[in-house]
Amino acid sequence: MAEPIRWGILGASKFAAADMAPAINAARDSVLAALATRNAEKAAPFAALAPGLRVHGDYEALVTDPEIDAVYVPLPHTMHVEWGIKALQAGKHVLVEKPVAMAEAEIAPLIAARDATGLQAAEAYMIVHHPQWRFVRDMLAAGVIGRLRHVEAAFTYDNASDPGNIRNQAATGGGALPDIGVYTIGATRWATGAEPEAITHADIEWEAGCDVVARVSARFPDFAAHWLTSMRLAKDQSMTFRGQGGWIHLTAPYNAARFAEARVQWMGTDGVRHERSWPGLDQYVLQVEAFGAAIRGEAPFAWTLENAAGTQRVIDMTYAAAGGRPEV
């Protein structure tokens, strides 16, 4: 049995408490060992998961903790690169929450630090570790639906009642595209292996410098895509790949098992409707285990910082097509 990877978490975010801390605890050969927060109340749910958890009063103390092997960074978006680099320089492997940064160029220093240290550093893009996405990518590559012509993706929720949420704050990297556009755009890129040539339409609604509704169309070499992301619409998510000979539809593409059971429905060129589901899988646990395998040199991690930079490039293109972000 491999020695467990000892994880530390920078900041006691709600998402870390609800999803990633339990995933670290449940993953094979991983243990939640430390947390950095000054708030004892926020530390309580983490300590309940991991008896003996060390709670550091500042981030620097955690990244320099000699009893930590890997650091998970769920801080506000604008802090990911800074603390990712600090953790790497302290000899820790790093998994940063998405998005890595607010512009493609900002990711380059983190890539350079990863290369200089030889340590693992990646974005926590959990969906690529779920087998439903490998299944869809393999079907597209095999031509099951014939020539791919169009992709439709939607990811929406409404947090208008929570104006203090960091997603509603421009200063901390808020906006629908940074928060969930990474999924509609990144999933299209990962599943097809293609990159957009141009953003052909970008209709964005802004509030206090944050994009709260984004309707975006893109032209790829062989197909078109339309992505809807919003923080002001009813909770929903879906993704459909349409080919000349069939289609593939995912009912819970991004929050599998949270939003709904992971289910892929498709009709191939044979004209027969099919369905497959993956009940009971936790993609956050799968992600932690995959990162551990990468640390141990057993398998490459499925989503690199370069992959993340590619998605950020498309988000940058989208903002440019919309006339740029407004001044706040």
Side-chain angles (χ1 to χ4, degrees):
M1 180 180 294
E3 283 293 318
I5 293 165
R6 301 164 298 180
W7 284 85
I9 298 179
L10 283 183
S13 73
K14 291 181 180 178
F15 174 75
D19 292 291
M20 280 298 289
I24 289 169
N25 244 24
R28 292 189 306 272
D29 301 325
S30 289
V31 60
L32 177 57
L35 172 74
T37 181
R38 294 188 181 93
N39 190 320
E41 185 177 334
K42 288 186 176 181
F46 295 87
L49 276 171
L53 182 77
R54 296 190 304 287
V55 179
H56 294 290
D58 63 77
Y59 301 153
E60 194 74 43
L62 186 141
V63 299
T64 58
D65 184 339
E67 300 299 313
I68 293 298
D69 305 307
V71 174
Y72 168 59
V73 185
L75 298 171
H77 304 157
T78 51
M79 300 172 69
H80 291 171
V81 169
E82 174 190 358
W83 284 98
I85 290 173
K86 287 182 177 180
L88 285 167
Q89 291 175 340
K92 309 296 190 278
H93 303 282
V94 175
L95 187 65
V96 298
E97 219 8 273
K98 51 79 195 163
V100 174
M102 302 310 299
E104 181 190 5
E106 296 173 5
I107 302 174
L110 185 59
I111 292 174
R114 177 203 64 190
D115 294 346
T117 61
L119 296 166
Q120 290 292 324
E123 182 182 53
Y125 195 63
M126 73 289 184
I127 68 171
V128 300
H129 306 288
H130 195 291
Q132 70 168 343
W133 276 106
R134 293 194 293 274
F135 183 70
V136 168
R137 186 171 67 165
D138 289 346
M139 281 203 294
L140 290 170
V144 169
I145 62 172
R147 180 187 172 196
L148 178 65
R149 298 303 309 275
H150 190 76
V151 178
E152 300 163 9
F155 196 175
T156 61
Y157 64 90
D158 186 1
N159 70 352
S161 63
D162 187 12
N165 190 296
I166 63 171
R167 293 164 183 81
N168 287 316
Q169 304 294 319
T172 52
L177 284 168
D179 187 45
I180 53 179
V182 292
Y183 294 117
T184 55
I185 294 168
T188 302
R189 295 178 53 251
W190 195 79
T192 65
E195 300 291 345
E197 297 175 327
I199 300 299
T200 57
H201 178 76
D203 176 17
I204 297 179
E205 297 177 25
W206 302 91
E207 289 182 17
C210 294
D211 54 290
V212 296
V213 181
R215 305 171 185 89
V216 182
S217 297
R219 184 179 67 248
F220 286 73
D222 296 316
F223 62 90
H226 183 77
W227 304 307
L228 170 65
T229 57
S230 178
M231 306 190 300
R232 297 294 184 269
L233 294 174
K235 188 177 183 179
D236 194 22
Q237 57 182 264
S238 65
M239 193 153 187
T240 303
F241 298 85
R242 301 188 183 279
Q244 283 187 294
W247 48 264
I248 301 169
H249 180 68
L250 294 89
T251 59
Y254 318 118
N255 293 129
R258 266 69 164 178
F259 175 76
E261 182 179 87
R263 181 174 289 111
V264 174
Q265 302 162 336
W266 75 97
M267 184 188 76
T269 54
D270 59 4
V272 178
R273 290 173 179 257
H274 308 266
E275 183 174 300
R276 181 171 175 181
S277 61
W278 291 264
L281 288 181
D282 188 319
Q283 58 190 359
Y284 297 104
V285 173
L286 296 175
Q287 174 180 247
V288 173
E289 292 179 345
F291 196 70
I295 288 173
R296 292 188 292 271
E298 297 168 357
F301 200 61
W303 186 259
T304 66
L305 290 175
E306 286 81 0
N307 291 135
T311 294
Q312 187 60 53
R313 182 182 313 122
V314 181
I315 294 175
D316 294 349
M317 290 167 60
T318 299
Y319 286 139
R325 299 188 193 189
E327 295 292 331
V328 179

